[in-house]
Amino acid sequence: MAIYHLSVSNVSRASGSKATATLSYISGRRVHDERRGETYDYGRKERVLRVGTLLPEGAPAEYADPAVLFNAVELHETGRTARPAKKIVVALPREFTPRQRVQALEEYIRENLNADGYAATYAIHDDGRGNNPHAHILVANRQIDPATGGWARLKQRMEYVLDERGERVPLIDPETGRQKTDKRGRRQWKRTSVSLNPLDRKAKLKALRESWANTCNARLDETARIDHRSLEDQGSDLEPTIHEGYAARAIERAGGVSERCQTNREIRRSNSLLTAVRAELGRIFDRLGELFAAKIGRLRRRQARPEPAEPNWRYFEGDARRQLEADKADHTAAIRGKLMDARADVGNREEWWRSHGTEEHEAAKQIIDVARAASREARDANIFKRGRLLRNAEQVAGEQSERLRGAVPWLEDADIPADWDQANRFRMRTTKAIYDHDMQPRTRLVAELERRLEQAERAESERPSPEQVKALALRMAEQRAQAENPTQDTKRPAPSGDEPLDLSEPEDWGEASPFESRQAPRTKADLLNEIRQRTDRLTGQREAEQRQIDPWSAQPPQRCGHGR
């Protein structure tokens, strides 16, 4: 299934990035930087499928060599905080052939970058095994003047700095604490330089995102279209997945379980279940509409015939009682099966904790151990060093407490004591709190299923009421009578259609709803019961599928050199 991804980032000298080094990374080639006199060879050639350079109108022919192009822009930009290039990363749909990938990418660059005077080099990558096809587009962050073939001048303008109320911010003299004035006594206000480079504008970036979606959709089937909008902008309440990254996928390939990949698996399962439930509800409501129309027709026909006498339901009394008891037993067995699965899940998770723990637990232990080491050093120091080391232990405990709050934000008590004994007790309390927090959803599910099982067993031990038995036996007798004489309705006069409509419930007439195909026809109450049972069955199937792929319910994978 095609996915949408487009990200834009700056190649900035302020952060240590260089256009030539970035070019070496995306192209898998050796690139010499003429400005710094360095040579870069960062890329992995096995994952680079194709490299190409597209130039705008009037660009020098030698710029077709990407090394020449980006050395030229690096030499032209002289500022220490200059941004000589921008990098755009896009995900290529798996449905595309290699030729379609190149066509879509080059069409996108010509229409959105070359048309505005920007030169760009693209490189198509995958993971070396044909998976994760994507492309890097390195764009010279300065337009080319088509008249001269040289670099265009980037225009800038000065604007006043505004506060949150939209008012100008005064320029304060640090010596006097008052607003500065010029020689004529005019007050001075803070101003800032604003770039007019189109690639720095928010509207241009939004247009780039939308254009990539349109370029891909023009080549994709209707069932595989992509959307550049976020789920929130689309009006969807599905939960978005998080970025996994190369390190997380490497852990998974080595046989481990990455927390980010596991989070995405849970999000996808939740979204899949939500979509399936919505589809099932849609089918149920469609069926309810059909049933309501059928009921209207039956009620109209009933106005033209006398009310039938109550059938002999005593013949079916025993069958009805056994059917009601069997339904209760089936319901109890279903809950008991879910409870066994939930308890097995708790046991598997406890086994996983004994052998692995969680990333939050490991991070918390490392953070607390740093503070414990400082407190132990202060405890074991002699009287001359103890005061200084105690102050150091308190400072380290405060710093590590802040780190602990960031690593485990839901932890209520995150203040690490500076005392050695108290820090040890705090470490044990934190381990128990993380364990309880991780196990709470599973233990809560077990408790809820135990409560429901107790209610079901209590209901199963009670005999069906006479009213329930009679109602079901009546429906069975009516179904038998209708099966023995299917043409009985044809002997009655056809209704004219002008009779008053009686909207009484099927229970009042002793007639069954056509929703069920069982021997015993069902009433409206039975129909609602069936909807709940079908929803429970669908949820049980989804849970069974989750358990098949859930790493907590299987034997924990062996470590292969990748720590958590």
Side-chain angles (χ1 to χ4, degrees), residues 119-137:
T121 294
Y122 68 85
I124 300 177
H125 291 187
D126 63 13
D127 63 351
R129 295 183 294 272
N131 301 318
N132 188 27
H134 61 280
H136 298 260
I137 307 173

Side-chain angles (χ1 to χ4, degrees), residues 10-11 73 76-79 81-86 116-119 139-145 150-158 193-201:
N10 285 304
V11 177
V73 73
H76 187 81
E77 302 292 348
T78 58
T81 60
R83 296 178 296 178
K86 288 185 182 294
D116 292 337
Y118 293 100
V139 187
N141 200 21
R142 186 179 287 268
Q143 295 161 302
I144 294 178
D145 188 345
W151 298 108
R153 181 178 180 182
L154 290 179
K155 297 181 180 180
Q156 295 181 342
R157 67 182 179 192
M158 301 299 293
S193 175
V194 178
S195 172
L196 298 183
N197 183 7
L199 286 181
D200 290 332
R201 298 176 185 172

Side-chain angles (χ1 to χ4, degrees), residues 5-30:
H5 173 77
L6 186 146
S7 61
V8 182
S9 59
N10 285 304
V11 177
S12 174
R13 289 179 185 168
S15 61
S17 302
K18 295 171 282 292
T20 49
T22 304
L23 174 63
S24 172
Y25 172 77
I26 69 169
S27 64
R29 301 174 181 176
R30 184 186 298 270

Side-chain angles (χ1 to χ4, degrees), residues 309-324 327 464-482 510-512 518-523 526:
E310 181 176 281
N312 182 15
W313 59 272
R314 292 288 183 181
Y315 179 81
F316 300 93
E317 184 176 4
D319 292 338
R321 181 177 289 105
R322 285 189 291 273
Q323 181 64 56
L324 291 171
D327 289 343
S465 66
E467 293 78 13
Q468 292 175 325
V469 174
K470 180 179 178 181
L472 182 56
L474 277 172
R475 292 195 295 271
M476 289 180 174
E478 291 169 355
Q479 186 184 31
R480 173 65 63 85
Q482 186 177 5
E511 180 172 292
R518 298 178 47 173
Q519 284 187 348
R522 297 299 179 98
T523 62
D526 298 320

Side-chain angles (χ1 to χ4, degrees), residues 268-287:
R268 293 189 187 99
R269 285 197 293 268
S270 175
N271 289 342
S272 176
L273 179 60
L274 179 60
T275 303
V277 169
R278 284 178 175 170
E280 183 67 17
L281 288 176
R283 288 191 292 270
I284 291 174
F285 286 128
D286 291 343
R287 182 61 177 154

Side-chain angles (χ1 to χ4, degrees), residues 290-303 501-503:
E290 297 173 2
L291 294 176
F292 184 74
K295 175 181 176 179
I296 296 295
R298 293 196 310 275
L299 292 177
R300 287 193 179 279
R301 291 191 298 269
R302 187 178 291 118
Q303 310 305 314
L501 184 60
D502 185 0
L503 294 179

Side-chain angles (χ1 to χ4, degrees), residues 443-499:
T443 55
R444 188 188 299 122
L445 176 60
V446 170
E448 173 63 19
L449 290 174
E450 289 175 346
R451 183 187 64 81
R452 289 172 56 188
L453 180 60
E454 182 181 358
Q455 293 177 350
E457 289 175 344
R458 189 184 307 116
E460 185 180 2
S461 63
E462 298 174 356
R463 293 177 61 85
S465 66
E467 293 78 13
Q468 292 175 325
V469 174
K470 180 179 178 181
L472 182 56
L474 277 172
R475 292 195 295 271
M476 289 180 174
E478 291 169 355
Q479 186 184 31
R480 173 65 63 85
Q482 186 177 5
E484 292 175 350
N485 190 11
T487 60
Q488 58 182 356
D489 288 342
T490 62
K491 299 178 182 179
R492 296 185 175 88
S496 64
D498 297 328
E499 299 84 4

Side-chain angles (χ1 to χ4, degrees), residues 29-84:
R29 301 174 181 176
R30 184 186 298 270
V31 178
H32 180 72
D33 190 324
E34 298 176 3
R35 185 178 71 88
R36 298 175 60 89
E38 298 176 352
T39 300
Y40 307 108
D41 190 5
Y42 293 144
R44 291 182 291 172
K45 299 176 178 59
E46 68 275 5
R47 67 177 183 177
V48 180
L49 305 180
R50 183 185 177 92
V51 178
T53 301
L54 300 178
L55 302 177
E57 180 182 357
E62 58 268 19
Y63 283 0
D65 184 348
V68 176
L69 170 63
F70 289 100
N71 266 303
V73 73
E74 281 281 1
L75 291 170
H76 187 81
E77 302 292 348
T78 58
R80 291 182 301 173
T81 60
R83 296 178 296 178

